[in-house]
Amino acid sequence: MLQNDAIRNLYQDTGADTSQQTPKESNVLDVPVNVTFQPGAQRLPLPVTRVESNIGITTYVPMTGYDFLKDLPSVHIEQTFEFNDSLTAICPENRFIVRSPLGEALYAVTESSSQTNFLMCGCWRPFQLHVIDKTYQEALLLRKSFALSSLCCLSKQFEVWVPPGHLLGRVVQSPISLKPRYFIEDGSTGALMFYIEGPRFMACRSGCYSTKETYFRVHSGDVLRASIDHKWSTLKSQYTLNIYFSDSKLTAKEKALILGSAFLLEYQYFHNRF
């Protein structure tokens, strides 16, 4: 139900309207037929995505999944709240919207986690994030394993999956470092793809130090490939997590892994609702 609400909000945000579709007349057969497959859920038409570049605004129709990230110079993550969330201090399932540079909503993201893990483990709880695109399909599945803040010697892992069961990559936290440092690994080969580094002496939310506006570097070797920052948005009147892709040669897969790592940073350093 929560995912359906998120999709409904995603379409309301982009102005899509499916209520005006005319119903089709059902066909009645006079002879018996054999049913060889089960009918699936109706799929919405693929939306046209607008991309702003140096030569102007171009349009293209992506396939599915993380192909929506193709040619985007940046994406912006906003946390969404319902009215009933403001009436309680506990919000077990968090929701986000991922937007393009033009403000177009690309994905609705919903969290699924048990209430026991939510109340007992807080931000260290295991959970899954379902990244839903505008075709009602699950584009990505982000999985975070259980991690204890007191066990600093254990690395934290965050997996990025493509449904129904393809591991796209992992985001692994360095267990020993004076500043936040993460490694993005390829899911098929385990090869190291990117490093993510944050400011020195920055601790997680449960630590002694926290900050509202922070900058992370995503690089391979000495080459800056992308950057992630957490800043206050005057227009939105809230903090947003912004991803800027510095390298125009990044593939959609690499952008999807960087997007997944941004959600891990959101939960570990900036999330304001347990």
Side-chain angles (χ1 to χ4, degrees):
M1 180 63 68
L2 181 58
Q3 293 186 29
N4 294 335
D5 293 341
I7 290 295
R8 185 194 67 242
N9 296 334
L10 179 63
Y11 268 87
Q12 290 177 350
D13 182 82
T14 55
D17 186 6
T18 60
S19 61
Q20 302 299 327
Q21 297 178 355
T22 58
K24 296 182 179 179
E25 296 182 357
S26 59
N27 297 325
V28 180
L29 301 178
D30 296 331
V31 294
V33 295
N34 295 325
V35 178
T36 58
F37 64 93
Q38 293 294 333
Q42 183 179 3
R43 186 179 186 128
L44 293 179
L46 289 173
V48 176
T49 300
R50 295 168 295 174
V51 177
E52 185 177 5
S53 60
N54 296 331
I55 60 176
I57 298 178
T58 60
T59 60
Y60 71 97
V61 179
M63 296 300 292
T64 56
Y66 55 81
D67 285 336
F68 285 94
L69 299 173
K70 181 181 179 181
D71 297 332
L72 288 179
S74 64
V75 291
H76 309 273
I77 302 173
E78 303 173 1
Q79 186 175 5
T80 62
F81 298 97
E82 300 292 342
F83 176 73
N84 58 346
D85 294 344
S86 61
L87 302 180
T88 176
I90 299 177
C91 178
E93 294 176 318
N94 299 287
R95 297 174 291 277
F96 304 88
I97 291 290
V98 180
R99 298 185 183 275
S100 71
L102 299 179
E104 177 188 7
L106 299 174
Y107 300 105
V109 184
T110 61
E111 175 191 346
S112 62
S113 179
S114 67
Q115 190 172 6
T116 301
N117 290 332
F118 185 85
L119 295 175
M120 299 294 294
C121 305
C123 64
W124 304 103
R125 67 187 180 276
F127 62 85
Q128 295 184 352
L129 289 177
H130 304 273
V131 182
I132 313 298
D133 63 27
K134 290 181 286 187
T135 65
Y136 282 96
Q137 304 298 309
E138 189 174 37
L140 296 170
L141 176 62
L142 313 179
R143 292 178 177 173
K144 179 181 178 297
S145 58
F146 180 72
L148 291 176
S149 60
S150 59
L151 300 179
C152 299
C153 58
L154 298 181
S155 61
K156 287 76 175 178
Q157 293 193 14
F158 192 71
E159 297 179 340
V160 181
W161 291 80
V162 176
H166 174 63
L167 179 60
L168 196 66
R170 297 183 183 88
V171 184
V172 182
Q173 183 181 11
S174 175
I176 302 176
S177 180
L178 295 179
K179 59 182 178 180
R181 189 173 186 180
Y182 299 82
F183 309 97
I184 299 180
E185 301 175 350
D186 185 84
S188 301
T189 63
L192 180 63
M193 300 177 64
F194 304 107
Y195 296 95
I196 302 179
E197 291 184 338
R200 192 176 181 86
F201 301 121
M202 179 182 179
C204 295
R205 294 187 310 120
S206 59
C208 59
Y209 176 76
S210 63
T211 181
K212 294 295 185 180
E213 298 193 358
T214 310
Y215 175 82
F216 291 84
R217 298 176 67 253
V218 182
H219 60 90
S220 55
D222 296 330
V223 180
L224 180 66
R225 309 296 298 278
S227 61
I228 304 173
D229 64 34
H230 187 262
K231 289 186 177 181
W232 176 261
S233 174
T234 305
L235 296 177
K236 300 293 183 180
S237 297
Q238 66 177 15
Y239 284 97
T240 60
L241 196 62
N242 310 294
I243 307 174
Y244 300 96
F245 302 112
S246 305
D247 188 355
S248 59
K249 297 181 180 180
L250 287 173
T251 64
K253 173 184 176 180
E254 293 171 334
K255 291 182 178 181
L257 290 174
I258 295 175
L259 175 64
S261 65
F263 277 103
L264 177 60
L265 299 178
E266 166 72 19
Y267 271 80
Q268 288 203 257
Y269 298 101
F270 313 116
H271 208 55
N272 55 4
R273 295 293 295 272
F274 277 95

